[in-house]
Each structure stands twice: as structure tokens, then as C-alpha cells.
Amino acid sequence: MDQNSLRKVVEGQLLRLEGNAFQDCMDRLGLELYPGDYQPVRAAGPKGDTKNDGYCPKARVFFAAHATRGERFDKTRMKILGDLEGCIQEHRDVKVWRFLTNDTLAGEVDQFVDNELRPRYRNVTIEVWGLKTLADEICKLRREEVERIIDVISTAEGNPKPPKKPLVVQLTPIRTGRDIWPILSICDAWMPAVEPDDCTQEEEDLIDTAVQTFTDCLEISEDIEVSRSSVRASQRGITGLLDELKAKGLAVYAATIDNHPIGGGPKPLLVSMAIFKVARVAPGQTDR
């Protein structure tokens, strides 16, 4: 599997996690990054988890894991402040305090961390690992470690391979950006687009632009969906490209394949795969 596809799978898995499931995932990450040192911690009794979701007694690195996707800025800011100050108060010799989240912090929150918290606690290295950083760190590890951390579904080793069958997928006509967005927002990877053999250079350039736009939106759909206006703007841009293709007598079809294996070896990752096809439509013919 190429690194880009792996990263997409990891980000998709992280985005789905909430509450204790996200903390469990971050415990598995800590155990891989700090073998023999990382200690998971959970709340118990009136003092809770003493503002510590996991730590390394030797390295003196303390973790706060909190899934912030869709959370208000002020709530995230207060969560960071409370966990940091509580951890410093409850524990000795805190060298690194690391906030782990499956989102990208808003500029207002990041500014608060950098302008207020870091100058206030100069003896502590304060780090924020958001979605992109977490995905980067996880993807640096070995394949089996990545699987353990994100708990991916994989085929069992040693099982005999079933005979290959022709891939048959029902493609849907795509006329607007809204038509294709459900596909772009859920898929982890994509197959090479299919296109007519008799395209002119101008048509090839237009198809390349459209397909590149589809795959770009697929890769960053979670960032776009933070704002409804961003989603609409992306959908309108796609609709414009589809209209240009239609003017050239070209129609777009798309579909998804669930649990499609990617990567070689006996344990491929199973992901949602997008399929795009561009076909020529004769004058007067519909795209159905």
C-alpha cells in the first residue's frame, strides 16, 4: 500500500473514534511509541484520573486524550487548560505534556496554547497532536503496529484465498457536486478513473482536472466538512466541472466498494474504495 492510501485509512479510523474508544486507541499508540515505559491510566474514585490519561514514568511524558471533533472552541480551550494545570498540580517533574485529539485545533485554540500556556509554563514542553500529526506518527510505524493501534479490519492470515470473481459494480450517473459528495465523504481510497479512448487533448485535460478535483476533495473531505459553506463551495466547483464535461458530450459515473482490500500480503486492509468513470454520450442520448 502506498503511504498516501495508508494515511487516508488511518485518518478515517481516527475520525470515527469518540470518548473511551479514542483514549483506548491513544493507549495503544503510547504502548508502541514508548515500549516498556508507557502506562495507561483511567478514572477511578473521587479524584478521577488525576488529569492524566496515560504517562511515561521514565521519560516523564504525560498525555491528555480528548476527541474534539465538532466541539465548541471555548470548551476545547477550557479542557486543555484544566487538564494541563491539573496534571502539573497532581504530578511531579512533568517534562512533556501532550494533548491528543482527532481533529485539527481551531486557530483561536492553538493561539491560546502558544501565546498564553507555553509562556506561563516554560518548564514544561506543551505539545498538541491533532489529526494530521497523529496520522504522521502512526504511519511511521511498522504495518503490524499500525494495525494494532487503529484496530483495522483485516483478513485472517493463513485462510485460503477464495477464487477471484469479476468485479461488478452498479455505477450511478453524477450530474452535480451534491450527487458525488456522499462518495467523496466516506471513501478512504480510489481506483484509477476509466475514460474513453478517443478523447482529444482538450478533453483529456478536462477529465484530468475533474478527477483530480474528486480525489483532492476525497482526501480532505473531513476538513471541508467543518464548514457547511465550504462543502457547498466544493460542490458548486464540482458541478461546474461536470457541466464542462457535459458540454463536451462526456458524462461521469461513480460508485463505492465497501471492504475492498488494498495492500499486498496475507493481511490487506479493507477500505471503502471510490470508482470514477467518464463515458462519452452520443447527442440526444441520456447518461442513464
Side-chain angles (χ1 to χ4, degrees), residues 143 147 152-159 162 259 261 265-270:
R143 169 67 176 272
E147 289 187 349
V152 295
I153 302 172
S154 59
T155 57
E157 288 190 60
N159 286 352
N259 295 326
K267 296 180 65 180
L269 294 179
L270 303 182

Side-chain angles (χ1 to χ4, degrees), residues 36-53:
D37 192 10
Y38 181 78
Q39 175 64 50
V41 177
R42 284 294 179 270
K47 294 192 70 174
D49 58 9
T50 65
K51 299 301 181 182
N52 173 22
D53 292 328

Side-chain angles (χ1 to χ4, degrees), residues 6-19 21-22 25-26 66-71 101-105 130-132 134-135 138 149-150 184-188 217-226:
L6 178 61
R7 181 189 176 89
K8 182 67 179 177
V9 172
V10 170
E11 289 187 7
Q13 289 294 105
L14 292 174
L15 282 167
R16 295 183 180 97
L17 300 176
E18 297 181 0
F22 180 67
C25 179
M26 294 301 96
H66 182 58
T68 61
R69 183 165 168 80
E71 188 175 76
T101 176
N102 61 346
D103 203 353
T104 299
L105 288 189
L131 177 65
K132 304 298 183 183
L134 281 175
I138 292 172
I149 293 167
I150 64 175
L184 304 183
S185 65
I186 66 169
C187 285
D188 305 302
C217 289
L218 187 153
E219 285 191 313
I220 62 171
S221 60
E222 65 270 14
D223 295 329
I224 296 173
E225 289 177 340
V226 171

Side-chain angles (χ1 to χ4, degrees), residues 7 10 16 25 39 44 55 61 75 77 91 95 98 106 118-119 126 137 174 178 183 237-238 245 255-256 267 287:
R7 181 189 176 89
V10 170
R16 295 183 180 97
C25 179
Q39 175 64 50
Y55 77 115
V61 180
K75 184 175 179 181
R77 186 166 56 182
H91 301 278
K95 287 186 168 59
R98 188 171 292 155
R118 289 188 176 115
I126 300 173
E137 294 298 324
I174 302 298
R178 292 186 66 179
I183 294 174
I238 291 173
L245 288 169
T256 62
K267 296 180 65 180
D287 56 6

Side-chain angles (χ1 to χ4, degrees), residues 113-149:
V113 172
D114 192 48
N115 289 353
E116 297 189 36
L117 297 185
R118 289 188 176 115
R120 190 184 307 175
Y121 300 101
R122 296 184 182 277
N123 293 329
V124 179
T125 299
I126 300 173
E127 298 178 354
V128 176
W129 285 17
L131 177 65
K132 304 298 183 183
T133 303
L134 281 175
D136 282 342
E137 294 298 324
I138 292 172
C139 289
K140 292 175 184 177
L141 301 172
R142 297 193 306 272
R143 169 67 176 272
E144 58 270 22
E145 294 171 333
V146 173
E147 289 187 349
R148 282 197 295 269
I149 293 167

